[in-house]
């Protein structure tokens, strides 16, 4: 595993200079980050830009193919650096395109969403969705550098801020209760979003994830804690993939279900579980659900990448700030948690 170099950017000029310095750069963005973020960089017009349609449905083989084609068209070679300017869709997709093009070229992530800054751009997981299954094709490949500039958040819609916040809260829940409590004390709303000092919080989330990833890059053990909320969250996201609801909202639903299971299956104390559920309910609306969807969502949890021999393995909270991995759950447990969530 090669280490990603984190650079915390202070000015647009600094970012401009770093990108102009990269040899043979090609920029990957989506139509939103092309509109809102690319102009801030004031780059020279000879840097090629590949721009794709935004959204989770474009984290696909179709987009991957398009990026490979564009790289060929722009005469990219082994010395080319792909610069992923966007949210988690762009860093996952661009990371995979770079990891495979010419057997691997360098890439730099410039995350522009909160989700990207605190989570998706960090830790070396690249990937696309495949046949309706989340992140089923991908690699573990570290970016050369991540340039973090919270100024990009000024144009990010509030529901996308909430989405990233969901993963930040998760970082607190699995590793640092004080961080979780600090986050909930900020009372996230569209108004408070504008006054929050994001940089120290982003740094904290990066540090938590980095420490976990460094101990288990390829997720054979401890790294699985980062999947708290994702067993059920990914099943919901795969099922409702046409809903346009951001990733973190599905994760927050998964966190409520898996917090419920952590308590009912004998790990987490009732008072702790209630406090966590109340904190999430203050920030996120619950996702609407038709009871007739239940069987299909349950079946999707059987496809989770952490499972072994068709046994569903779930991350539990032992307490706020401490998680455990490889806890076996049944389809009945999944159903109970979804019934709790939708009650
Ligand atoms: N690889 C990992 O470890 C990891 C971790 C967490 C999430 N993810 C993945 O990340 C994805 C979710 O990331 P995301 O929430 O950033 O999604 P995203 O990339 O779709 O971005 C969300 C939306 O915000 C727009 N946007 C981004 N930055 C903007 C800005 N500054 N101003 C205005 N609009 C902006 C995008 O165009 C998009 O419409 C999912 O596919 C998820 O699976 C990966």
């Amino acid at each position: 595993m090669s280490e990603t170099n984190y650079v915390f950017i202070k000015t647009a000029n600094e970012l401009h200079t770093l990108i102009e310095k990269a040899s043979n750069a090609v920029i990957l963005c989506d139509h939103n980050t092309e509109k809102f973020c690319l102009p801030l960089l004031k780059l020279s017009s000879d840097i090629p830009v590949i721009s794709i349609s935004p959204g989770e449905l474009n984290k696909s083989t179709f987009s991957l193919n398009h990026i490979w084609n564009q790289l060929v068209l722009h005469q990219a070679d082994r010395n080319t650096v792909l610069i992923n300017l966007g949210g988690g869709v762009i860093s996952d997709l661009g990371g995979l395109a770079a990891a495979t093009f010419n057997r691997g070229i360098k890439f730099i992530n410039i995350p522009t969403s909160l989700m990207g800054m605190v989570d998706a751009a960090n830790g070396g997981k690249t990937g696309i969705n495949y046949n309706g299954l989340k992140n089923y094709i991908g690699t573990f490949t570290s970016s050369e550098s991540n340039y973090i500039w919270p100024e990009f958040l000024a144009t990010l819609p509030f529901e996308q801020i909430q989405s990233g916040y969901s993963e930040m809260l998760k970082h607190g829940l699995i590793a640092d209760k004080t961080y979780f409590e600090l986050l909930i004390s900020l009372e996230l709303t569209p108004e408070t979003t504008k006054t929050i000092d994001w940089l120290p919080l982003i740094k904290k989330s990066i540090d938590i994830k980095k420490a976990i990833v460094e101990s288990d890059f390829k997720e054979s053990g401890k790294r699985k804690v980062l999947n708290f909320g994702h067993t059920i969250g990914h099943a919901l996201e795969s099922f409702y993939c046409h809903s346009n609801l951001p990733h973190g909202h599905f994760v927050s639903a998964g966190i409520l279900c898996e917090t419920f299971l952590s308590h009912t299956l004998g790990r987490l104390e009732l008072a702790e579980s209630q406090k966590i559920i109340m904190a999430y309910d203050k920030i996120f609306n619950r996702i609407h659900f038709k009871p007739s969807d239940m069987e299909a969502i349950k079946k999707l949890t059987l496809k989770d990448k952490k499972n072994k021999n068709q046994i569903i393995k779930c991350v539990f909270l032992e307490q706020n700030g401490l998680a455990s991995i490889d806890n076996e759950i049944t389809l009945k447990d999944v159903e109970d948690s979804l019934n709790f969530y939708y009650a």
Side-chain angles (χ1 to χ4, degrees):
M1 160 198 156
S2 65
E3 286 240 342
T4 298
N5 173 37
Y6 286 86
V7 184
F8 295 94
I9 302 292
K10 289 188 193 68
T11 62
N13 267 349
E14 190 186 350
L15 195 50
H16 167 91
T17 310
L18 281 168
I19 298 173
E20 293 276 351
K21 238 174 44 192
S23 67
N24 266 337
V26 175
I27 294 190
L28 173 67
C29 54
D30 67 29
H31 300 337
N32 293 328
T33 59
E34 181 181 18
K35 178 175 170 195
F36 294 112
C37 306
L38 192 59
L40 302 186
L41 308 179
K42 298 191 173 64
L43 297 175
S44 51
S45 55
D46 56 355
I47 300 186
V49 175
I50 306 171
S51 183
I52 64 160
S53 298
E56 186 67 29
L57 287 175
N58 296 301
K59 218 172 90 173
S60 62
T61 45
F62 179 83
S63 304
L64 189 61
N65 202 45
H66 174 70
I67 296 165
W68 286 330
N69 281 336
Q70 290 290 306
L71 287 171
V72 172
L73 202 77
H74 292 301
Q75 295 171 339
D77 59 26
R78 281 248 171 100
N79 299 311
T80 297
V81 178
L82 186 64
I83 298 186
N84 299 319
L85 179 72
V89 166
I90 290 297
S91 52
D92 276 12
L93 179 62
L96 180 56
T100 46
F101 186 79
N102 274 210
R103 295 207 172 88
I105 59 172
K106 290 180 180 169
F107 64 101
I108 291 172
N109 289 332
I110 308 182
T112 59
S113 67
L114 186 59
M115 172 68 74
M117 292 178 198
V118 299
D119 201 346
N122 315 322
K125 276 189 184 176
T126 77
I128 54 169
N129 305 323
Y130 187 68
N131 281 353
L133 298 168
K134 273 286 291 179
N135 303 331
Y136 240 53
I137 308 292
T139 65
F140 287 97
T141 315
S142 297
S143 53
E144 281 292 300
S145 299
N146 285 3
Y147 300 154
I148 312 287
W149 194 38
E151 281 298 304
F152 285 126
L153 299 179
T155 52
L156 193 69
F158 179 63
E159 63 167 8
Q160 299 292 347
I161 296 277
Q162 288 172 301
S163 180
Y165 214 68
S166 171
E167 299 280 13
M168 296 166 83
L169 289 165
K170 181 201 74 183
H171 292 145
L173 288 174
I174 61 171
D176 187 336
K177 181 178 179 177
T178 314
Y179 180 47
F180 176 83
E181 289 184 337
L182 169 68
L183 288 170
I184 59 174
S185 74
L186 297 176
E187 304 201 352
L188 187 76
T189 64
E191 288 69 44
T192 57
T193 296
K194 294 176 197 125
T195 57
I196 289 172
D197 180 9
W198 286 105
L199 187 60
L201 302 171
I202 293 167
K203 280 185 174 165
K204 179 73 188 173
S205 269
I206 289 175
D207 284 347
I208 289 175
K209 181 163 180 181
K210 203 163 164 256
I212 294 169
V213 169
E214 274 169 9
S215 67
D216 175 25
F217 184 56
K218 292 216 168 163
E219 200 171 283
S220 51
K222 190 179 174 197
R223 183 172 180 163
K224 293 179 195 167
V225 293
L226 289 163
N227 293 307
F228 178 57
H230 287 63
T231 302
I232 295 173
H234 273 170
L236 289 165
E237 187 170 8
S238 295
F239 189 77
Y240 295 116
C241 62
H242 294 282
S243 71
N244 272 336
L245 199 64
H247 172 69
H249 293 247
F250 292 107
V251 171
S252 78
I255 284 178
L256 290 204
C257 291
E258 294 172 25
T259 298
F260 167 85
L261 290 177
S262 301
H263 167 62
T264 54
L265 297 178
R267 306 298 180 77
L268 184 66
E269 283 186 7
L270 177 64
E272 286 265 55
S273 71
Q274 286 173 333
K275 213 170 150 190
I276 294 164
I277 289 164
M278 270 171 58
Y280 269 84
D281 277 336
K282 261 180 116 174
I283 302 174
F284 300 94
N285 292 325
R286 296 210 182 183
I287 300 168
H288 293 297
F289 167 76
K290 286 204 289 297
S292 56
D293 298 342
M294 175 69 89
E295 286 310 310
I297 295 167
K298 276 166 56 185
K299 266 198 197 137
L300 281 165
T301 60
L302 290 170
K303 300 280 185 202
D304 192 274
K305 292 188 292 303
K306 296 181 301 300
N307 295 349
K308 215 172 174 189
N309 304 330
Q310 288 286 292
I311 294 171
I312 308 166
K313 304 270 188 149
C314 191
V315 179
F316 280 171
L317 287 184
E318 301 292 319
Q319 57 193 51
N320 188 340
L322 182 69
S324 62
I325 59 171
D326 290 337
N327 300 290
E328 294 184 5
I329 61 168
T330 62
L331 285 176
K332 172 75 171 58
D333 296 326
V334 175
E335 181 169 340
D336 288 348
S337 75
L338 287 167
N339 280 331
F340 143 79
Y341 180 78
Y342 295 114

